[in-house]
Amino acid sequence: MKRVPVLIALILLLAVPLVSAGELAYYPDPEAFQAFLSSNSTYTVVPGNETWAMGWAYYVDEKLYTVKRHGNDTLVLVGNVYNNGLMASVWNRTGLPANASLLPSIVVLNGTVLITGSEDSIHLTERAFEGLWNPPRGSVATFLTLAFTIIIVFLALLSGDDSHAGRFYALAASLFLVWYLTAERPGLTDGFLAYLSSALKFAVGGSPDSPLSAIMGAVFRTVPPIEENIIFAHWLLILIIMSFAFYLAPKRSRELGFLVFGLTFVAPMFRESFREVSGGALGLAGFMIALAIVSNVTFSPEKWKALLQTGVLSLFTLLAVAINPHLALMPLIFVIAFPKRHLRNYAYLLITGIGVLLLYGAFGLPRGIPSNMDPNAPAHVRDFLLNGSLTIATAVYAIAGREKGIRMKGQTAFLLLMTMVYIPVALFVPAMFPYCFVLLAALAVRLIHGLTPRT
């Protein structure tokens, strides 16, 4: 007779299916997991014996630690029945076949929570935690300190001459703060979550699958890999992008950087690229720093100093290429626009070329390079023309007002060639459109500056 309740319970478990929320399934329902999150129970995370399960368990442990304490009240098992022995021992209580543990799901049993999936799907269980926002005080303090430091440093640098660049930067920083305080919190795309899972695998000793996951994994060895820290880093990258916009303007008219900032961020299509965390902000930040170096650095005639400057340019070019491999054409365009300094050009091509080969050797050839035009290209072009109409009109006005043609050497020529190359590329790779907004805005401002009489 004692076996009757157990038999009845097993029948009920088999009769009640997993409740699915998108691609993530819950047992018995999402409310059971939310009840666990809001309870006072302590927890211990036990991962599977594969590096991807250990990495995701690291995320789960750090995420739960923002609202709960470590202890022995609840076991949180991460992985599947094939790599987690404790999960295999309790799996029969779910009444599900063993291969169901390969699907992304949250299973809440009495005193045990199972977070299941395979290496290719475990990252989808993040959706169960995305509504949980409880940034640690240390993260908040670090974010505020870094944001304040970035603003103060750029404000000091841009206020060092007689121009109004510092005042305009203060206005831009104020707009950034208003945007941060009023915008919805960015979400994490499914693609970024896959990078996150790979980064966590690298953080615990496995091999990364991409340059972005390697960069993130190296950071996560010291910084908790929780959404709060990721989104704080995302906002800091946006602040860096905004700040370096001032260094895409001509040196003697740095205040025109406010126009570069305004012409890019005024476009909803450009701001939309930051609505979700995808890794694109890191690539765009590296790209803008590389552009700023090209636009401002007067390469020294001393070989070693010039080599150091070229190495820094190559480093940020490689950062941009690591995130967006289509930017690999940038060094070639640089050599065309600045043809006279042969030693510098050869060094830039050599260092960047070796770096790209090392990237491909470590991670393989870039995946997803399209051979056909994006099927939504006409819609993207329409949106780009609409969002960039002010910038395009400014550039057309500046070109029409020039007494002489554009000299095809120097910074303006570099920006023009980059724009001419990457707008067509964006028809195949829509992710290039944010880069095109930056190039077009910087080009328009330099063309406008060319209309002003020199004193």
Side-chain angles (χ1 to χ4, degrees), residues 68-91:
K68 305 175 79 65
R69 294 179 295 109
H70 288 121
N72 299 320
D73 294 340
T74 305
L75 279 179
V76 180
L77 310 181
V78 180
N80 53 55
V81 299
Y82 303 106
N83 62 24
N84 191 318
L86 282 176
M87 185 180 292
S89 67
V90 301
W91 187 255

Side-chain angles (χ1 to χ4, degrees), residues 294-442:
V294 172
S295 301
N296 292 274
V297 173
T298 302
F299 287 86
S300 172
E302 299 179 22
K303 292 182 179 180
W304 290 108
K305 187 177 291 186
L307 183 60
L308 178 62
Q309 294 170 329
T310 306
V312 173
L313 173 59
S314 299
L315 176 65
F316 285 104
T317 302
L318 284 171
L319 174 60
V321 172
I323 307 303
N324 193 326
H326 308 94
L327 294 171
L329 296 175
M330 182 175 171
L332 295 175
I333 299 172
F334 177 87
V335 170
I336 295 172
F338 300 93
K340 290 186 177 180
R341 300 287 294 274
H342 299 293
L343 181 61
R344 178 202 59 193
N345 290 347
Y346 293 150
Y348 185 32
L349 287 173
L350 182 63
I351 296 172
T352 309
I354 291 174
V356 169
L357 289 176
L358 291 175
L359 282 175
Y360 292 168
F363 303 103
L365 292 174
R367 291 172 292 178
I369 294 181
S371 57
N372 298 314
M373 186 176 294
D374 186 272
N376 297 318
H380 291 315
V381 171
R382 183 189 65 240
D383 292 341
F384 177 73
L385 293 175
L386 180 63
N387 283 259
S389 57
L390 180 60
T391 310
I392 295 170
T394 302
V396 171
Y397 167 78
I399 293 173
R402 293 178 70 93
E403 296 180 358
K404 298 180 180 180
I406 300 174
R407 181 171 177 265
M408 292 309 293
K409 292 180 182 179
Q411 288 90 349
T412 302
F414 174 73
L415 291 170
L416 177 61
L417 291 172
M418 289 282 288
T419 304
M420 292 173 62
V421 167
Y422 281 109
I423 287 181
V425 170
L427 300 178
F428 294 81
V429 188
M432 289 301 305
F433 277 115
Y435 297 84
C436 294
F437 277 110
V438 171
L439 290 168
L440 191 59

